[in-house]
Amino acid sequence: MSKIKQVGANLWTAPTDMGFTPHFKRTEHAINHYPNGESLVHEPLQPGNKKIFVVYKNKNAEDMGEIFEGSAAGGHEGYLDMRVDSVTNRGEGFYMMGVIGLLFWWSFESFVLSYLPDPQLRDISIYCGYAFFIIGALVCLFRTLHTPVRFHKDNQEVYVWHKKILYRIPWDECEISVQVAKRNLGLKGSQDGYQLTLWLNPKHAVNKDLTGQKHVPLNLFHNIEHHIPLYGYWEYVRRYMTGDKPIYIDISKRPRNIHLKYDPDEESYIKFLIMVALIAPLLLLFKPDKVALLSPFKEKWPAEVHEWTGERCDWH
């Protein structure tokens, strides 16, 4: 049952979390410019530089370092790369195909396929089923990594490479909102879904004329039941772009993904291989989104972005 309540003719509220209560509504701007804007219920955050005030249980969390660690592709002098939902939430598809799917097929094998009279047909069916779910899980995990959104503080611009369209957006014209998501990860509406969306205005496209088209939604972060992670993502970006404090950022020396490096001065090669063999399954099971960052299939920024940024960086 939904916990989002309608409290006015055009006003909905979500449960209060950490002292913050979201307020959603339909807006004329969304109706005129966003796909399915007539039914969109959301809370606009930018333009407007909406500050999110929350009550932190731990004072050490006020600098929002958890957001940086969970969503940032890298911190740099003058700009910040933040991963999009299709990268940070890859564990969902992996668990559906690789864990739930395999458990389902194991049950189907035990109670149905094992009774097939033809042993050859039985074996082919069993192995094809397992192969389908294993390959599906790997595809979910290692499909192409999309470029992050680049928030350039020095230039006060936002760069997005989405579906072969390059956007160069002035920060003051950047359109970001939290919407009540219609897709609830197969839960059929039994739980509330929230989505942090960056709305890409066609006038900001630089490599293609999109005149007359509606804005394109880019999913920055999606979550079930809890809205605070989305507002936290936004508040972190807002603080970074406006210079508000406190904020944690690490100037990264290399891509922020898994690094397993053999050091002959510290350990033997056999010990290193044993460590990798023990850690890899645990990472795959409990941190699949981190393992996904090792995918060899990665989008690259167009050359223009490197020029605007002042350096070349294709980290994910």
Side-chain angles (χ1 to χ4, degrees):
M1 180 180 295
S2 176
K3 297 178 182 177
I4 298 174
K5 305 298 182 183
Q6 185 169 4
V7 296
N10 184 30
L11 184 62
W12 290 259
T13 61
T16 300
D17 191 2
M18 295 180 67
F20 177 77
T21 305
H23 293 79
F24 305 109
K25 59 183 178 180
R26 292 191 175 95
T27 62
E28 196 67 29
H29 180 75
I31 292 173
N32 293 331
H33 299 287
Y34 297 169
N36 303 313
E38 300 84 357
S39 59
L40 178 67
V41 178
H42 69 147
E43 180 169 14
L45 304 172
Q46 178 75 0
N49 191 39
K50 183 179 178 64
K51 294 184 179 182
I52 306 301
F53 297 98
V54 300
V55 178
Y56 293 95
K57 297 179 181 178
N58 184 350
K59 284 289 184 181
N60 294 329
E62 291 184 359
D63 63 3
M64 311 193 76
E66 184 177 351
I67 302 297
F68 178 85
E69 295 296 339
S71 297
H76 308 269
E77 295 289 349
Y79 67 96
L80 171 72
D81 286 342
M82 294 291 284
R83 296 176 181 133
V84 295
D85 184 79
S86 66
V87 175
T88 55
N89 275 333
R90 294 207 166 187
E92 296 171 358
F94 173 77
Y95 286 132
M96 289 294 292
M97 293 294 292
V99 179
I100 297 177
L102 286 175
L103 287 174
F104 162 78
W105 192 251
W106 174 78
S107 301
F108 189 72
E109 173 197 347
S110 301
F111 295 104
V112 178
L113 295 180
S114 60
Y115 293 100
L116 289 177
D118 187 337
Q120 185 176 9
L121 176 61
R122 180 178 65 241
D123 291 343
I124 291 175
S125 300
I126 290 173
Y127 292 133
C128 284
Y130 282 122
F132 171 79
F133 286 108
I134 291 173
I135 293 173
L138 293 176
V139 169
C140 288
L141 205 59
F142 295 114
R143 68 187 189 277
T144 301
L145 292 173
H146 298 299
T147 52
V149 175
R150 180 159 294 175
F151 295 93
H152 204 297
K153 181 168 63 175
D154 288 351
N155 295 349
Q156 283 296 288
E157 292 179 328
V158 179
Y159 308 137
V160 179
W161 175 242
H162 182 62
K163 296 183 177 179
K164 305 302 180 183
I165 305 296
L166 177 60
Y167 298 85
R168 186 179 190 179
I169 311 168
W171 170 246
D172 289 340
E173 298 179 22
C174 197
E175 299 180 36
I176 300 176
S177 70
V178 172
Q179 66 181 94
V180 178
K182 292 184 177 180
R183 65 180 184 91
N184 284 345
L185 304 181
L187 298 175
K188 298 182 179 180
S190 61
Q191 291 180 293
D192 296 315
Y194 304 94
Q195 180 173 309
L196 179 66
T197 304
L198 170 59
W199 301 95
L200 302 172
N201 191 327
K203 76 175 185 178
H204 295 134
V206 299
N207 64 333
K208 190 174 182 179
D209 185 4
L210 302 179
T211 302
Q213 297 188 26
K214 290 203 169 188
H215 291 45
V216 174
L218 175 59
N219 184 359
L220 297 179
F221 198 84
H222 178 272
N223 202 36
I224 292 295
E225 284 293 274
H226 302 288
H227 51 73
I228 279 296
L230 288 74
Y231 285 97
Y233 186 118
W234 153 250
E235 176 62 15
Y236 183 87
V237 168
R238 188 200 67 78
R239 290 186 191 181
Y240 177 78
M241 291 297 287
T242 60
D244 278 3
K245 306 292 182 182
I247 186 170
Y248 169 86
I249 184 169
D250 177 42
I251 303 302
S252 310
K253 303 299 182 183
R254 59 184 181 180
R256 300 190 66 255
N257 52 28
I258 297 172
H259 295 282
L260 294 175
K261 186 177 180 180
Y262 168 59
D263 187 349
D265 296 329
E266 295 291 333
E267 58 192 348
S268 68
Y269 190 62
I270 298 298
K271 182 179 179 181
F272 173 74
L273 291 178
I274 293 174
M275 182 188 70
V276 171
L278 292 174
I279 292 177
L282 295 176
L283 286 174
L284 191 62
L285 186 60
F286 295 106
K287 293 289 184 180
D289 53 316
K290 299 298 183 184
V291 176
L293 296 174
L294 301 177
S295 171
F297 310 107
K298 300 176 181 179
E299 287 185 338
K300 302 293 185 182
W301 285 108
E304 295 93 328
V305 176
H306 300 307
E307 295 176 7
W308 303 335
T309 302
E311 66 178 14
R312 173 174 290 275
C313 181
D314 280 308
W315 295 355
H316 291 75

